[in-house]
Amino acid sequence: MAMEITQFLLAAQSADARVRTEAEASLRQFQEQNLPLFLLSLSFELENNDKPAESRRLAGILLKNSLDAKDSARKDHLVKQWFAIDVALKSQIKELLLRTLGSSALEARHTSAQVIAKVASIEIPQKQWPELVGSLLNNMTQQGSPAHLKQSTLETLGYVCEEISHHDLVQNEVNSVLTAVVQGMNQSENTAEVRLAATKALLNALDFSQTNFENEMERNYIMKMVCETACSKEAEIRQAAFECLVSIASTYYEVLEQYMPTLFELTSNAVKGDEESVALQAIEFWSSICDEEIDRQEYDSPDSGDSSPSHSCFIEKALPHLVQMLLETLLKQEEDQDHDDDVWNISMAGGTCLGLVARTVGDSIVPLVMPFVEKNISSPDWRSREAATYAFGSILEGPTIDKLAPMVAAGLEFLLNATKDGNNHVRDTTAWTLSRIFEFLHSPDSGFSVISPENLPRIVSVLLESIKDVPNVAEKVCGAIYNLAQGYEDSGANSSLLSPYLTEIITHLLAAAERTDGAESKLRGAAYETLNEVVRCSNLSEASSIIAHLLPAIMKKLAETMDLPIISTDDREKQAELQASLCGVLQVIIQKLSGREDTKPIIMQNADDIMRLFLRVFGCHSSSVHEEAMLAIGALAYATGAEFVKYMPELFKYLQMGLQNFEEYQVCSITVGVIGDICRALDEKILPFCDQIMGLLIQNLQSGALHRSVKPPMFSCFGDIALAIGSHFERYVAPAVQIMQGAAQVCAQMDTLDEELMDYANQLRRSIFEAYSGILQGFKDTKAELMMPYAQHLLQFVELVSKDPLSRDESVTKAAVAAMGDLADVVGENTKQLFNNFTFFGEFLNECLESEDEDLKVTARWTQGMIARLMHSS
């Protein structure tokens, strides 16, 4: 029987901290001592209309948090706990949740819908709770079902469809769900609340509707209801209907042809005259069509052997009208619109869509847009000038250089002058457009650039003047300098046209980074990122002394951050952000100067001071700083080589802390990568630290609490350590390979239909092969026989992967082939019988030799040679 917990739920929300803490402790104790009864009591609370709204609200939150969590390890734990509860008691909980859908309280119904979906996400994939869909549909069909029950039932169906995979329902269930949802959208029979819930539910059910969309009659009915709903008198319902159309555009592109005239009219009317929330979705519909057609054009390329998916050229057919509609949206800017990235309005959406249209149709967009640009670019009205500039910048990716070059050459001087426009919005968009010109029409290495020795001085002068503008404009100017520098990256040993301006550019970027308003529009971060790119792309033979002078200046700035007064959390965050940026600059300088023998001594001379600074940075408890400092330490290890060993005693505790930082798992992941860098730098000198490193790596790989994305780099790190210490890896080989075998087994059991899971499986498989390769190469010519007990498993794993061509990517294939070659090469004759027993590799290698990936072909040829040598040995 459930316990009375109302008083604890209310007390846990008390303004009195002591009362609140005691109540929270009581609830936690109840949960830990008797979870089934705790969940049942919460369900009773949520269902009971006589209970206070506050206690029901918290009961719902606690129920949700007992079933789901963002952290995958925590979620797995909660799922196991749920499965351990007695079936009869779970049925009681589920019955109470279903009853709550009929509650008079909207919030209780909404919460119950979410909790039911969470339970469904756990049970339905395991073929449990088969009666759920029937129970929900019964609420819809039962004579006299009140509107609020229908609304909450449709909301539940929507959430359930969102939580489960379309493979979890049989077609009859899908048909029934769709029927209930589409009937719920019927304007004449339902309240606005029911229709909104139905339309939102349809959005989540569309993934399940493949078979229904293949049937013309059913498809026509669904499309008719969505189009009618898009004309509802309630804006929120119209918006939800257009969201459905956006999803249909990408999911069911192939069957849209007959509906396009209606859809064009609907979207066009919405863009021209509807509320912004609806108009934004109508534009998004065309952006989705563009995305689909861009993807399909990539398949259409003659080099692709794939059979092309159908391409209906919807954008091309609608082009003149669509472009006109989008150009009109550009004139609907907001007077006081913010320039931050998270602001989204109709003019921004229109410009983004125009850019996608340009990528879809290429040259044909230019004559449709340029008259608008020419008409408005010199208008006295700032809106017209800004819209013309935005239109020009939006179409720079897609059309050919031949088509763009003349108009960009003609307009460049105008744009440079427009950086002095009296309106902030116009200057902002002008700087963005210049940035786009330098991104897409400035590739001296490939033989074309709008920038010449003649106009470069003027361009640099304008950019360095504009970087002093207000933060939102200056941030865009940083982007323009970034792309300008990047264009000169491949000038190689030849002289770079940008070299004479480097000192001035660096000075202005540092000044921008130090501005008191640098936090606005992310200017400070943009200035440092651009500085990094300017250094990275510079011509070292011309820029070495400039970069050498920059090094102590950045070190001095980093040292000064240690003494910043820290009074508030905000101060701490600012310090962390600044230190992260400066560590990033140091990393780039270290990489640049250590790239050549004649400049490497500059790093060697400063290495002790640099390392001291990084170690001081670790004193700041901020993950972002730790990440950047770790990456820079990796670069320093590469630069200093074996001499890096002198820093290890002091650095090692921070490496250990990084490996144990499960909370900020990106720090953990970067630490693993840096340990790999250090192994490559130190070789056998890493040996004194290996017991602790390997212990932590194995412990982490066995932990359910560590974020899974960190595990693949850890396996790769086994390979790095083995290569560094060679035969000394003998003491770790058994536990390391055992855990690799366990991970290989996990890969084999992963759901190949889950795209995200397959990406992870590929990372895991590649890293296991890399670990095998590293261990094998580390034992070469010393203790190769130690790997003989594991040879069969390695070949079985390669065979398993070879038979999975659909989900493995090229990098996995390459790593598998390399590991197989390493086995033949290192263990040699002892594996001859094994290779005789496995017949798959001939076909697998032939497949690789036919690949278009040159690296894979080279690896496959080498492996083929190693196996052939083995087979022909006496």
Side-chain angles (χ1 to χ4, degrees), residues 438-453:
F438 302 153
E439 182 178 359
F440 298 115
L441 290 128
H442 169 49
S443 310
D445 194 49
S446 64
F448 178 80
S449 175
V450 294
I451 300 170
S452 63

Side-chain angles (χ1 to χ4, degrees), residues 431-506:
W432 173 79
T433 300
L434 286 169
S435 173
R436 300 258 299 171
I437 288 172
F438 302 153
E439 182 178 359
F440 298 115
L441 290 128
H442 169 49
S443 310
D445 194 49
S446 64
F448 178 80
S449 175
V450 294
I451 300 170
S452 63
E454 291 73 38
N455 64 16
L456 182 59
R458 165 97 171 116
I459 289 168
V460 172
S461 159
V462 166
L463 294 176
L464 296 186
E465 189 56 40
S466 293
I467 203 170
K468 300 170 191 167
D469 205 330
V470 290
N472 60 284
V473 177
E475 187 267 338
K476 303 287 191 311
V477 173
C478 286
I481 296 171
Y482 185 103
N483 289 328
L484 179 70
Q486 205 172 58
Y488 291 114
E489 180 183 0
D490 296 319
S491 53
N494 303 327
S495 176
S496 167
L497 285 178
L498 206 58
S499 294
Y501 308 98
L502 275 187
T503 303
E504 213 180 342
I505 290 171
I506 288 170

Side-chain angles (χ1 to χ4, degrees), residues 339-342 471-472 474-476 478 512-513 517-530 577:
H339 291 273
D340 284 344
D341 288 343
D342 53 359
N472 60 284
E475 187 267 338
K476 303 287 191 311
C478 286
D517 57 2
E520 292 176 37
S521 298
K522 302 177 184 167
L523 172 59
R524 184 172 294 116
Y528 278 122
E529 274 179 41
T530 304
E577 189 189 325

Side-chain angles (χ1 to χ4, degrees), residues 818-832:
M820 191 162 58
D822 285 324
L823 180 66
D825 177 33
V826 173
V827 185
E829 207 160 316
N830 291 337
T831 59
K832 187 173 180 178

